[in-house]
Amino acid sequence: MISTIEAEIFEQHASEAAFLWSYRDAAAVDPLYDLQSLGELDERLEAHVDGLRLAGDAGWAICKGAIDEEEPGSLFAPMVLAVERRDLKGIAQVLDVGGGVPALARAIVSALGWISFDKVRGILPGLLSRRVGPELHRIGIAACAVHRQDPGAALGYAVMSSDLRLRARALRAAGELGRGDLLDEVRGALGSEDEACRFAAAWSAALLGDAAALRVLGTIADRGGPFAERACAMAMRKMDPGVASSWLRAVAGTMRGARVALAGAAALGDPALMPWIIECMGTPELARMAGAAFTMITGVDLEEAKLRGTRPPGFQGGPSDDPEDEDVAMDPDESLPWPDREKITIWWGSRGKELKRGTRYLMGRPMLAEWLEEVLRKGTQPARAAAAAELALQGPRRGVVEVRAPGMRRRQEPGER
């Protein structure tokens, strides 16, 4: 029997773990974080999970009580503990609540990625069996993918699944893992009517060295939609810089198209686009994304270089206070700094000649393998993701480094590979 004080301490650990997981989920793609700062955040999260571990059965009881809250963060610690305790009933309880709900399943996969693969391996047969439902099969494929471990034949089955969510995740995993033996199956999904499957197939096909992927990626980017920015970024990595610059200008005909083009410009890294990028800084809806593209290409931190601006008066980037406003989308650029367009124009006028037009740059230097490896170790999270993609393309079928892996684990490893 535990005391009231102990129960309160364990409940605090569970509450903080849930909160920090949600915070960490956003930090994994945030330009304010690099490998070191992500690792520091991970250590805070791990400390609360460890507090629940040390509490034994009492900690597990507290965790189980949070499962029914059906919040993503509330499923993370229970899944970690259940797997580590080899509690099949507890694992089933978590999966029953969150396995079929995408937002909740994300936290479950994150938990499986948090644990060492040796501990996850024991539950994979139950997740990768063809007899289980597609929701569980998808979690099994995703768990292998985040650890960059090949699920074997199970991935081949999943790539051909009639369940579209499972098929899309499997198609993406084929590229993440460098499964060139599945390229024919991936090509077969390039014409899929499902947008998620079509994008995942094109993204992976590009990584696996297939030329047909470029056309599909370009179409997805041109039409807009939830995958447009990522499709444009990958297309730029495959396209000739001279052709790419002209194509991006054609895409940037609307506000939404301009955001897609800015994502592509950041991935392309050609200084020839910088005058247009700086021009975009004059439009409030594009300014911060343009500032991020400037940083991605030049490596210049707006804060450190005193090139940071201020929020335009009256600008509303997220949900308004109007209860009748149906637009409740969060500000996609919330964590990005505002650029000072005038100061950046002056900076570019004096320093821009140092960057050669027609050459692709990432964080201020050409995209050579040695520099990409350096960015992978020391860059911000978006820059690390870009470096991982570029390295994968330089050696097709080698797979893509998972930059969202626990930072504390990455910092302990001798290298990124």
Side-chain angles (χ1 to χ4, degrees):
M1 187 72 179
I2 62 172
S3 68
T4 301
I5 293 177
E6 287 175 321
E8 290 178 352
I9 292 173
F10 301 155
E11 287 173 358
Q12 184 69 20
H13 279 312
S15 175
E16 287 295 320
F19 168 76
L20 285 172
W21 178 83
S22 298
Y23 193 83
R24 195 265 180 203
D25 189 46
V29 295
D30 195 320
L32 296 178
Y33 283 82
D34 57 13
L35 183 57
Q36 178 176 345
S37 55
L38 187 66
E40 291 168 355
L41 177 58
D42 287 348
E43 286 170 356
R44 291 173 57 197
L45 173 53
E46 175 66 10
H48 289 291
V49 174
D50 201 39
L52 293 167
R53 286 193 193 100
L54 295 174
D57 291 341
W60 171 236
I62 294 292
C63 275
K64 282 199 299 183
I67 293 173
D68 291 334
E69 294 177 9
E70 298 187 17
E71 292 290 333
S74 69
L75 295 185
F76 174 77
M79 192 62 177
V80 171
L81 264 61
V83 173
E84 291 181 343
R85 291 164 61 91
R86 300 182 181 178
D87 186 334
L88 297 181
K89 185 176 179 181
I91 293 169
Q93 188 176 352
V94 176
L95 292 173
D96 285 345
V97 171
V101 182
L104 302 182
R106 180 182 180 86
I108 293 173
V109 172
S110 178
L112 294 175
W114 191 266
I115 306 163
S116 70
F117 189 70
D118 285 342
K119 293 178 179 178
V120 174
R121 195 191 309 272
I123 68 168
L124 287 178
L127 294 175
L128 296 176
S129 169
R130 296 181 69 180
R131 295 189 296 272
V132 303
E135 295 88 358
L136 297 187
H137 200 162
R138 183 180 185 277
I139 288 174
I141 293 295
C144 289
V146 297
H147 277 286
R148 296 304 190 254
Q149 297 287 331
D150 193 341
L155 183 58
Y157 297 135
V159 162
M160 301 301 293
S161 174
S162 59
D163 183 88
L164 296 177
R165 288 191 65 244
L166 170 58
R167 191 182 190 199
R169 186 60 188 92
L171 286 165
R172 193 172 99 210
E176 292 169 334
L177 298 169
R179 283 286 300 270
D181 59 305
L182 293 175
L183 183 54
D184 285 344
E185 289 82 352
V186 172
R187 282 196 192 106
L190 290 174
S192 174
E193 293 183 3
D194 180 74
E195 190 175 20
C197 287
R198 189 167 63 254
F199 166 70
W203 185 85
S204 287
L207 286 169
L208 296 173
D210 185 66
L214 183 57
R215 176 182 55 80
V216 180
L217 289 167
T219 300
I220 294 172
D222 196 40
R223 291 178 178 175
F227 303 104
E229 292 179 18
R230 283 177 284 171
C232 190
M234 182 57 79
M236 293 302 96
R237 295 185 170 107
K238 297 284 289 184
M239 195 178 291
D240 176 81
V243 176
S245 295
S246 300
W247 186 80
L248 284 178
R249 293 180 184 279
V251 170
T254 64
M255 185 65 67
R256 180 174 295 180
R259 289 189 63 87
V260 172
L262 282 170
L268 181 63
D270 187 350
L273 288 168
M274 195 58 70
W276 172 74
I277 292 172
I278 294 175
E279 181 183 336
C280 288
M281 294 178 191
T283 303
E285 292 81 3
L286 302 174
R288 288 169 292 170
M289 193 173 185
F294 171 82
T295 295
M296 189 71 82
I297 296 171
T298 65
V300 175
D301 183 285
L302 299 185
E303 187 76 50
E304 292 180 2
K306 298 185 176 6
L307 298 176
R308 182 167 184 165
T310 57
R311 183 188 188 91
F315 177 79
Q316 182 70 46
S320 69
D321 296 328
D322 184 354
E324 297 183 3
D325 188 350
E326 296 182 358
D327 185 2
V328 295
M330 298 303 294
D331 183 352
D333 303 328
E334 184 177 5
S335 65
L336 299 177
W338 288 93
D340 187 317
R341 184 186 176 194
E342 292 185 6
K343 289 182 179 178
I344 289 174
T345 299
I346 294 172
W347 186 97
W348 183 250
S350 62
R351 302 285 299 277
K353 57 182 176 295
E354 298 173 11
L355 278 67
K356 182 180 178 182
R357 279 62 174 165
T359 297
R360 299 184 62 215
Y361 289 83
L362 176 62
M363 301 302 287
R365 292 170 65 174
M367 295 188 195
L368 302 177
E370 184 178 356
W371 174 241
L372 294 173
E373 294 281 5
E374 181 76 6
V375 173
L376 200 54
R377 290 189 294 270
K378 298 181 179 179
T380 63
Q381 283 298 104
R384 294 182 68 223
E390 293 293 342
L391 283 167
L393 287 167
Q394 289 189 6
R397 308 191 182 191
R398 69 189 290 184
V400 187
V401 171
E402 175 57 275
V403 300
R404 297 170 301 173
M408 56 188 183
R409 187 184 306 159
R410 278 286 181 208
R411 289 191 296 156
Q412 293 168 359
E413 294 175 356
E416 285 291 331
R417 295 191 179 279

